Amino acid sequence: MASPVKVLVLQFTSIGDVVLTTPVVRCLKKQFPEAEIHYCTKIAYQSVVTFNPYLTKQHYLDSSLYQLIQQLRTEQFDYVIDLQNSFTTSLVRLALGTRSYSLEKQSLRQWLYVRWKVNALPDQHIVDRYMAVVQPLGIENDGRGLDYFIPYKDEVEQDWLPATHQHDFVAYAIGGQSLTRRLPVRRMIELCRKINYPIVLLGDATDRKAGEAIVKALGERQVFNACGLFNLNQSASLVQRARVVFSHDTGLMHVASAFRKKVYAIWGSTTPQFGFYPYKTPYVRLETPGLGCRPCSAANGAACPLKHFKCMNDISFNFEIRELRPKKKNF
C-alpha cells in the first residue's frame, strides 16, 4: 500500500501570520484529503495550531533549529510549502531537499513604500498571496475565510466575567507588536469613552498596566481589564463572544476575522496596503489619512522617529457603532 503524500507548511513570523495561513491548511486537506498536512512554527504559537483538525501533525521550533531539521528529515515530506520565505525557512527547505513552493517576497516594493512612499505593492490580501503558493498543486481558495479552533477547556464561561460584562460587551485588543502600533493610553481612554458600552480589554501581562489606567479613568462598570488573565485561546473565546472588536494591528485582529466579527482596525505606523487587513469580515479603518510619514520606518520601534506620533495622536474617533444601537421596539 502506497504511503500518503506528506506536505509540510512553514510559518514562524507571528500569531497573526499563523492565523492567516489557515485557509491554506484547510484547502490543502479538503482538496487533498488523503494527504498528511504537517505544520511547523515557533513553540510560542503552539496553541494556534494544536487544535486545528485539518492538521495531521505539528512541529515546533524551540531553541535549536538543527534539532528541528533533524526531526523534520525523518518525516520524508513530498512537498514543503514555505509561507514566509525567510532565511530560517530557506535553511529548512534546503536541508530537507524536497520539492518546495515559496511565497513570492515583496522586499523591494516594501522598501520603496516605507522609504520613499511609492506604493508598488500588489492590491492583494496576504491570504490570496499565500493561496497562490499552492496553486501549482491545483489547490484553490474556497473563499471560507480564516479558521481558529478553541478547545473546550479554554472556552470562557459566562461567570468568569464580572456581572456587568456577562451578557454583552465590546472587545478591545490593546496590545501590539510595538509601541508605534498602539494608541497612547490617553487616546485608548478617549476611544473607550466614545464606545460607551461594556468593554473587555484584551492583551498579555505587558498590557496590564495600560488596562489599569483605562479602568481607573472610566470605572469597573464599563471596563474589565482582562489583560494577562487569560491565555491566547481564552482571549480568542472572548473575541468570539464580543459584539464587535476594536484592535490595533495585532494577532487578535485576525482572530476576530476568523470569527467573522466586525472589526474596528486601528492603524498607526503600519498601513492596510501591506495586505494584512481583516479578511472576509466587515471592518472599519481608523487611521490618520494624508500623513507623508506613513508607513513608518519605525513600524516595529518604541517611539515615533519624528517625535509627533501624529499617526495615532490625530486619529479621529468620529464614527458610529451601529451594532450597539438599541433595537427599536415594535408596538
Side-chain angles (χ1 to χ4, degrees):
M1 185 176 178
S3 300
V5 172
K6 299 176 81 170
V7 182
L8 175 66
V9 178
L10 301 174
Q11 175 55 266
F12 298 108
T13 308
S14 68
I15 289 169
D17 288 271
V18 173
V19 174
L20 288 164
T21 65
T22 54
V24 174
V25 170
R26 180 185 65 247
C27 292
L28 278 168
K29 188 60 180 176
K30 289 279 192 178
Q31 298 170 38
F32 215 176
E34 301 303 318
E36 287 189 9
I37 312 299
H38 294 229
Y39 200 102
C40 186
T41 189
K42 289 181 181 177
I43 190 75
Y45 313 144
Q46 182 175 2
S47 61
V48 183
V49 296
T50 297
F51 305 99
N52 190 323
Y54 301 115
L55 289 173
T56 307
K57 190 174 181 180
Q58 298 84 6
H59 309 270
Y60 301 110
L61 173 62
D62 193 356
S63 56
S64 172
L65 181 61
Y66 174 79
Q67 289 181 1
L68 174 63
I69 289 173
Q70 295 304 107
Q71 173 193 336
L72 294 175
R73 276 177 169 164
T74 66
E75 297 288 351
Q76 298 183 321
F77 293 105
D78 297 285
Y79 301 103
V80 175
I81 309 300
D82 182 355
L83 299 181
Q84 184 177 346
N85 197 3
S86 65
F87 178 72
T88 300
T89 59
S90 297
L91 286 179
V92 173
R93 284 190 284 113
L94 183 64
L96 296 183
T98 192
R99 182 177 295 183
S100 63
Y101 300 90
S102 303
L103 178 71
E104 182 182 353
K105 298 288 279 187
Q106 301 288 336
S107 302
L108 177 58
R109 293 181 180 186
Q110 289 175 349
W111 179 81
L112 283 171
Y113 188 32
V114 173
R115 181 65 181 85
W116 300 107
K117 310 306 181 247
V118 176
N119 184 10
L121 291 167
D123 185 14
Q124 189 178 33
H125 197 283
I126 188 63
V127 171
D128 298 314
R129 290 179 54 209
Y130 287 159
M131 291 302 308
V133 178
V134 292
Q135 206 167 33
L137 296 177
I139 305 300
E140 297 180 353
N141 192 341
D142 60 12
R144 290 176 48 201
L146 309 180
D147 288 323
Y148 198 96
F149 300 96
I150 304 171
Y152 176 75
K153 66 182 180 63
D154 284 332
E155 291 181 359
V156 174
E157 301 291 340
Q158 182 172 300
D159 60 4
W160 296 8
L161 299 174
T164 49
H165 293 69
Q166 287 182 2
H167 301 290
D168 205 8
F169 60 85
V170 169
Y172 177 14
I174 67 171
Q177 199 172 34
S178 64
L179 287 175
T180 57
R181 297 191 187 201
R182 307 175 212 162
L183 287 168
V185 172
R186 64 173 181 81
R187 298 239 60 205
M188 293 185 197
I189 293 169
E190 186 181 340
L191 174 59
C192 290
R193 190 170 278 125
K194 165 71 177 182
I195 294 170
N196 192 28
Y197 206 76
I199 300 169
V200 174
L201 303 178
L202 299 175
D204 60 25
T206 62
D207 302 310
R208 186 144 190 87
K209 184 177 179 180
E212 288 173 351
I214 298 170
V215 172
K216 184 177 180 180
L218 299 179
E220 294 181 354
R221 288 192 60 79
Q222 183 183 353
V223 181
F224 172 55
N225 182 15
C227 296
L229 301 183
F230 298 97
N231 64 33
L232 178 59
N233 283 335
Q234 290 167 339
S235 294
S237 176
L238 289 168
V239 166
Q240 186 178 31
R241 292 185 53 191
R243 177 72 70 93
V244 296
V245 177
F246 284 76
S247 179
H248 301 139
D249 179 13
T250 188
L252 285 178
M253 177 175 73
H254 303 300
V255 172
S257 300
F259 295 125
R260 316 298 185 264
K261 295 293 177 179
K262 184 170 184 178
V263 179
Y264 289 77
I266 304 161
W267 302 91
S269 57
T270 57
T271 74
Q273 282 72 23
F274 286 109
F276 292 85
Y277 48 89
Y279 187 68
K280 298 288 185 184
T281 199
Y283 78 100
V284 175
R285 286 164 55 169
L286 301 180
E287 60 184 339
T288 306
L291 283 180
C293 53
R294 290 181 70 222
C296 181
S297 59
N300 293 317
C304 169
L306 300 180
K307 310 301 182 186
H308 56 59
F309 204 25
K310 287 184 178 180
C311 61
M312 286 299 194
N313 283 327
D314 290 359
I315 291 179
S316 170
F317 295 146
N318 185 26
F319 58 86
E320 182 180 5
I321 311 173
R322 297 180 183 275
E323 294 77 12
L324 304 187
R325 283 178 176 174
K327 293 182 179 178
K328 292 182 179 180
K329 294 181 179 180
N330 295 319
F331 296 97

